[in-house]
Amino acid sequence: MGYFWTVHQVLKPILGPSSSHSSAPFVMGYIFHNYLIKLGFEPTMDSLEKNLRVTILCPNPSRAMYSFIGHRSIRALIFGLLGGYFSSDRRRIFSNVKCSLEKKKEYDLIHTFETTFNALEAEDVAYKLEVSYGDRTKVLFDSVGGGIIGLRIDNADIEGIITSLFPESIPLWIYLSYDILERLESKLPFTKKDVASGKKFFDNADEIIPKEIKDETVGAYVARRENNIVEESRRIMEELWEIMYESTSRPPDNLRYSKFLKYEISKEMFSGNDMVSKVLRYTMNVAVRNAEMHIIVSAPTGGASSIFPATLRGAMEEFGIKQEEIINGLYVGGLIGGFVGNNMSVSGSLHGCQAEIGVSLAMAASAMVDMLADTSNIERRVRMVFDAASIALQSIQGLACDPLMGFVEVPCVLRNLAFIGMPFVIAKMVSSGYRPVITLRTAIRALKKTGELLNKALRESGTGPLTCMYILAKMEEKGIEEELISLFEREIYW
């Protein structure tokens, strides 16, 4: 991806299940909500049904439409249009809006708002989304990926709306692409030079940190650096930890949107008070909340969002780590996610699940090491933090992103659960003196190449081997698989 310049673009609130296809439309909707109010319109469900029209431009629109349906993109857009957002006061509005739309089905929403899917000619973005209200009011948004958005600022009203949302407790600039930040530099709490410096840092963190770090933990160093750029950085991190902690605490009351999870999990699972049960429970809670369109924190994505917060909460309770150190652990996780993201990606569609689950494991393992390392040798501490991330990535090399039917559920949830013990094991390995031959930068290069070698079917296609074999198994149950296979084997002339 190469666009991370701050930890706050790695660790940020998102709307599940997808940062690009659910959370990005949510933010787009909230911007348009404020734009309509500025123009004197009152966005209600009735007024939106009468006036709103949506156009999505994407590669292969006839096929991509089902991805937008599966990720409930239009529903997310409506949540934002009705005033939902990530800041503390707007999260309550979001909860109320979400309940009011419970009975609406995805196809109903698509038809209600006359959603059309057209081909995207230039594929420099994931997709474009145009929102129109009546005959004259429209805004064209870009989904850059990872929940980051772009848009055309072609009038003073739009520019004013965007800058007015910077003071929110979760400021809007977290979700804006580099070109927008460049355009609005005079209105930002930081400069274009700060952004460029931040990007350079995440490009070369393995070289910069050993030269600059003082007598402190890696987390404290990154926190100090971020606060020099964004004064409210630590306050934002504290709010993120509140969201993370809440997300680990309890599952949703019911499974409204999930397609497959009801067959795999139950609320009674992992009910023990031993550490393993608790960490598994925390992991499951976040994963299910993501699948059920709750607000969680990307770490680094929606599908891989469980491991990092569950690890940190488990460590806090097991080892008595104070919240201040946990917040510093968030900075370490953001550092690793940004470093990998800028030198590879954190996208399953680009580099497979190794770029999602793999990076989440690297973030969690590095944070554990920095919080628990018993050493005053700063050089050794830095090396241990990067070694932990390298071990995590090497362990997960080649992991495919093959979500069943395109839903962020199977095998996403079970992978979060199955791998949750790895950060604790890696932290023990590194603290015991284990040193990988492969450095983190070399591991990233290797995984990037591995991701490029993965067949497209194994990069978040929704039509990979798990989906095909699942459908074939269902056909076999019905006794019709042989007829279907024989049909495919014939030459068919239309």
Side-chain angles (χ1 to χ4, degrees):
M1 291 184 177
Y3 57 68
F4 292 130
W5 65 273
T6 171
V7 293
H8 299 298
Q9 287 196 308
V10 182
L11 294 171
K12 58 185 180 296
I14 63 167
L15 177 65
S18 166
S19 54
S20 61
H21 283 63
S22 309
S23 192
F26 182 54
V27 176
M28 296 171 187
Y30 184 57
I31 293 173
F32 201 70
H33 163 87
N34 285 275
Y35 184 42
L36 291 177
I37 291 176
K38 175 74 174 179
L39 297 177
F41 300 111
E42 181 61 35
T44 65
M45 194 61 184
D46 288 340
S47 67
L48 293 177
E49 287 179 354
K50 293 175 183 177
N51 297 287
L52 189 72
R53 301 294 175 265
V54 180
T55 302
I56 296 176
L57 296 95
C58 54
N60 197 353
S62 60
R63 183 174 170 183
M65 177 179 72
Y66 298 101
S67 178
F68 286 94
I69 292 171
H71 289 119
R72 301 178 281 279
S73 305
I74 301 303
R75 183 181 298 271
L77 178 71
I78 302 305
F79 290 161
L81 281 162
L82 292 176
Y85 183 61
F86 301 113
S87 54
S88 52
D89 57 334
R90 290 287 168 175
R91 290 201 295 272
R92 290 189 289 271
I93 294 174
F94 159 73
S95 296
N96 294 332
V97 170
K98 186 180 178 186
C99 291
S100 70
L101 293 179
E102 286 268 308
K103 295 182 180 179
K104 299 278 187 180
K105 298 187 179 297
E106 306 312 313
Y107 281 103
D108 294 337
L109 293 173
I110 283 177
H111 292 306
T112 297
F113 302 111
E114 295 185 17
T115 306
T116 56
F117 294 84
N118 296 329
L120 179 65
E121 295 180 4
E123 297 184 20
D124 55 338
V125 296
Y127 63 88
K128 294 178 180 287
L129 190 150
E130 183 180 79
V131 191
S132 304
Y133 190 88
D135 298 329
R136 293 175 294 175
T137 307
K138 68 172 62 174
V139 177
L140 180 65
F141 295 94
D142 297 334
S143 175
V144 178
I148 306 299
I149 68 167
L151 72 158
R152 294 178 184 174
I153 303 177
D154 52 8
N155 64 63
D157 285 334
I158 285 289
E159 182 173 321
I161 290 302
I162 291 174
T163 55
S164 72
L165 300 177
F166 289 164
E168 298 262 13
S169 67
I170 301 296
L172 184 67
W173 57 257
I174 289 175
Y175 304 94
L176 298 181
S177 61
Y178 181 81
D179 58 328
I180 298 180
L181 297 179
E182 192 173 39
R183 166 86 180 261
L184 300 175
E185 181 184 10
S186 63
K187 309 290 178 61
L188 292 166
F190 42 81
T191 67
K192 182 168 62 175
K193 184 178 179 181
D194 291 329
V195 176
S197 173
K199 185 181 182 303
K200 182 179 179 181
F201 172 73
F202 282 104
D203 288 346
N204 303 286
D206 58 336
E207 300 171 2
I208 294 173
I209 292 178
K211 297 175 182 177
E212 292 187 353
I213 193 169
K214 299 178 181 178
D215 187 16
E216 57 196 337
T217 65
V218 175
Y221 161 79
V222 179
R224 175 168 57 82
R225 190 184 187 285
E226 290 280 335
N227 274 280
N228 287 338
I229 298 173
V230 181
E231 290 184 1
E232 57 179 343
S233 176
R234 196 162 191 93
R235 182 203 58 75
I236 294 173
M237 278 300 198
E238 289 171 352
E239 185 164 347
L240 291 188
W241 179 241
E242 289 179 12
I243 297 173
M244 285 181 165
Y245 193 91
E246 179 184 354
S247 298
T248 60
S249 296
R250 59 184 178 84
D253 294 330
N254 56 67
L255 299 180
R256 167 66 179 81
Y257 302 110
S258 306
K259 187 175 180 66
F260 301 107
L261 285 184
K262 60 185 176 183
Y263 304 112
E264 292 198 337
I265 65 171
S266 68
K267 291 183 179 180
E268 293 73 30
M269 295 173 69
F270 317 127
S271 57
N273 286 320
D274 59 289
M275 183 184 178
V276 174
S277 295
K278 288 194 292 185
V279 172
L280 284 168
R281 185 164 66 248
Y282 301 153
T283 305
M284 184 180 72
N285 288 347
V286 179
V288 176
R289 290 175 77 85
N290 178 66
E292 284 292 311
M293 293 195 83
H294 284 254
I295 290 174
I296 51 100
V297 175
S298 62
T301 61
S305 58
S306 304
I307 290 172
F308 189 60
T311 298
L312 263 60
R313 180 168 176 181
M316 180 179 70
E317 295 174 352
E318 183 70 14
F319 305 114
I321 299 175
K322 297 178 181 178
Q323 179 162 319
E324 180 181 356
E325 296 168 315
I326 290 291
I327 300 300
N328 285 345
L330 297 184
Y331 280 102
V332 177
L335 160 71
I336 297 299
F339 180 56
V340 178
N342 278 17
N343 288 281
M344 182 177 72
S345 81
V346 292
S347 168
S349 62
L350 290 177
H351 295 105
C353 194
Q354 58 176 10
E356 297 201 25
I357 289 288
V359 177
S360 70
L361 290 168
M363 293 166 61
S366 294
M368 282 278 291
V369 167
D370 195 48
M371 290 188 299
L372 297 175
D374 183 19
T375 178
S376 58
N377 186 319
I378 301 303
E379 181 181 352
R380 182 169 182 263
R381 176 184 289 274
V382 173
R383 188 186 69 239
M384 289 168 65
V385 166
F386 283 104
D387 281 352
S390 176
I391 293 169
L393 293 182
Q394 291 180 67
S395 302
I396 223 74
Q397 181 183 9
L399 189 65
C401 182
D402 187 14
L404 182 60
M405 308 290 286
F407 289 86
V408 189
E409 299 175 36
V410 177
C412 316
V413 172
L414 72 85
R415 284 181 180 172
N416 278 268
L417 289 166
F419 287 123
I420 186 58
M422 189 180 289
F424 296 90
V425 173
I426 292 174
K428 185 66 175 177
M429 289 171 62
V430 173
S431 63
S432 299
Y434 188 95
R435 290 195 62 181
V437 172
I438 305 296
T439 65
L440 176 56
R441 183 173 287 275
T442 301
I444 293 169
R445 288 171 176 166
L447 264 70
K448 182 179 181 182
K449 185 62 178 177
T450 303
E452 292 166 356
L453 292 171
L454 285 175
N455 187 286
K456 285 185 178 181
L458 301 176
R459 287 185 276 134
E460 205 173 1
S461 68
T463 55
L466 278 180
T467 296
C468 294
M469 293 303 105
Y470 173 81
I471 292 173
L472 194 60
K474 289 297 181 181
M475 291 178 178
E476 188 175 5
E477 290 176 9
K478 298 180 183 296
I480 60 173
E481 82 286 359
E482 290 184 7
E483 291 86 344
L484 193 67
I485 291 172
S486 66
L487 177 65
F488 285 135
E489 290 174 344
R490 299 176 190 171
E491 289 189 41
I492 302 174
Y493 301 97
W494 297 99

